[in-house]
Amino acid sequence: MGKKGGSFLSPKLMNFTVLAWGSFLTISLLCFYLFSDGDFSFVMTYASMTRFFAFAVLAFKMIWTKSSQGVSLKTLELYFLMYLFRLAAIARHEGYLPFDRSGDWFYHMVEFLALVLVGLSGFLIMGPFAARYEKTFDCFGNLHVPPEYGAVYLIVPCFLLALVFHPSLNNEWFSDCCWTFSMYLETVAIMPQLYMFQKQVSRVVEVLISHSVFALGFARVLDLVFWLSTYSELAGKGSTNFSGMLILFTQFINVALMGDFFYYYFLSIKSGTGMQLPMTAAATNV
């Protein structure tokens, strides 16, 4: 077994963390006042904002440290694909948009800016900071395919599932499939990053990466809260709501996947130290 926690955080890093989360919460309250109309669907917009915040922290981390160490390129690839298909679904249709004013343009903007940040982060890994990219540890799906294509094991099942089981709020097969594919893909997009954490010998999660991943997980908790109350609206006329139940089920899966990470994240926050996952024999033999 390893240490119960990482080293204590530097005052500079702690100050930045407080400033980042404080600024995000302040902006969140402002956006709620400006766009929510008091409608419950703003939870969907807030989840989108939280994802944007996660990728903003991640991009800042890489630029600040001039390093891509500890970041999974495969997870970024999956999120980039997810955002592309989600934007394709909501660009011309309103079926999957929040009902309040945030669905007029703000939600689109946040999703697009998040796509830009994901693309920027991927560029930093493949370009300026390629030398610090830990490709050896970013090894999810390295089985019978070239290492860089490991994400295909997640993309293909999600794509096929979306073709068969999708709601029809847009009343257009293509955009309905695009939105559903993005939802299924987001459920599993974090898996390569979590797998990378497990493969790193030190099991230490860099502070800003831990905040970024937590924000992504918190966004999924918000999505779960939203779909718990609204999944019934995904039912088609005169049909069973299997697609809606499947969407809801995927939210539970994602939160469950994040459970272990949440536990150690909150331990690190409580102790004021860096996040360190428990050591295992498998990790030391990588």
Side-chain angles (χ1 to χ4, degrees):
M1 296 293 291
K3 297 181 295 181
K4 291 184 178 180
S7 58
F8 286 96
L9 305 182
S10 67
K12 184 177 181 180
L13 190 55
M14 291 186 67
N15 290 338
F16 172 79
T17 299
V18 172
L19 177 63
W21 279 104
S23 299
F24 173 66
L25 293 175
T26 302
I27 294 173
S28 298
L29 291 174
L30 178 62
C31 291
F32 177 79
Y33 174 77
L34 293 175
F35 302 113
S36 73
D37 297 328
D39 192 89
F40 180 72
S41 65
F42 186 77
V43 174
M44 187 177 180
T45 303
Y46 190 49
S48 178
M49 293 171 58
T50 307
R51 282 188 293 271
F52 169 81
F53 172 72
F55 291 119
V57 170
L58 186 64
F60 175 83
K61 178 267 174 192
M62 286 193 282
I63 294 172
W64 186 27
T65 63
K66 295 181 173 59
S67 171
S68 58
Q69 186 174 2
V71 182
S72 170
L73 178 60
K74 291 177 181 177
T75 281
L76 291 175
E77 290 170 344
L78 291 169
Y79 270 106
F80 190 83
L81 195 61
M82 180 273 287
Y83 277 117
L84 282 179
F85 277 83
R86 181 166 296 168
L87 287 168
I90 65 176
R92 298 182 297 108
H93 301 278
E94 300 179 354
Y96 303 103
L97 292 174
F99 298 135
D100 57 13
R101 281 177 291 170
S102 67
D104 294 339
W105 61 270
F106 183 72
Y107 180 81
H108 301 74
M109 182 190 73
V110 175
E111 293 287 280
F112 175 75
L113 291 178
L115 171 67
V116 172
L117 286 174
V118 173
L120 172 62
S121 298
F123 166 76
L124 292 174
I125 291 178
M126 294 184 291
F129 309 141
R132 299 297 302 276
Y133 170 49
E134 297 177 315
K135 186 176 182 179
T136 303
F137 298 136
D138 193 12
C139 55
F140 182 91
N142 288 9
L143 182 66
H144 305 309
V145 296
E148 60 270 23
Y149 299 127
V152 72
Y153 286 108
L154 298 174
I155 295 172
V156 172
C158 290
F159 180 74
L160 295 177
L161 198 61
L163 292 180
V164 179
F165 302 110
H166 57 267
S168 55
L169 294 186
N170 281 344
N171 292 316
E172 182 187 79
W173 181 85
F174 176 75
S175 63
D176 287 325
C177 288
C178 284
W179 181 84
T180 309
F181 176 53
S182 74
M183 292 295 290
Y184 294 157
L185 198 58
E186 188 177 3
T187 298
V188 298
I190 198 63
M191 288 178 64
Q193 182 66 72
L194 297 178
Y195 190 75
M196 187 177 186
F197 290 155
Q198 297 296 326
K199 288 298 181 181
Q200 291 174 315
V201 177
S202 68
R203 310 304 290 277
V204 174
V205 180
E206 202 276 335
V207 174
L208 294 183
I209 295 178
S210 71
H211 288 306
S212 175
V213 173
F214 170 76
L216 290 174
F218 179 59
R220 298 303 283 168
V221 172
L222 293 172
D223 283 331
L224 174 60
V225 171
F226 177 77
W227 289 112
L228 271 172
S229 300
T230 60
Y231 78 96
S232 59
E233 298 178 14
L234 297 175
K237 294 182 179 179
S239 64
T240 60
N241 193 21
F242 185 78
S243 295
M245 290 186 288
L246 189 56
I247 291 293
L248 182 60
F249 179 65
T250 61
Q251 312 305 308
F252 279 108
I253 290 177
N254 191 261
V255 173
L257 286 173
M258 295 292 296
D260 190 57
F261 178 88
F262 284 155
Y263 174 74
Y264 289 103
Y265 175 82
F266 284 118
L267 281 183
S268 70
I269 296 298
K270 181 180 178 181
S271 62
T273 62
M275 181 177 172
Q276 181 166 355
L277 300 174
M279 298 295 291
T280 64
T284 58
N285 292 330
V286 173

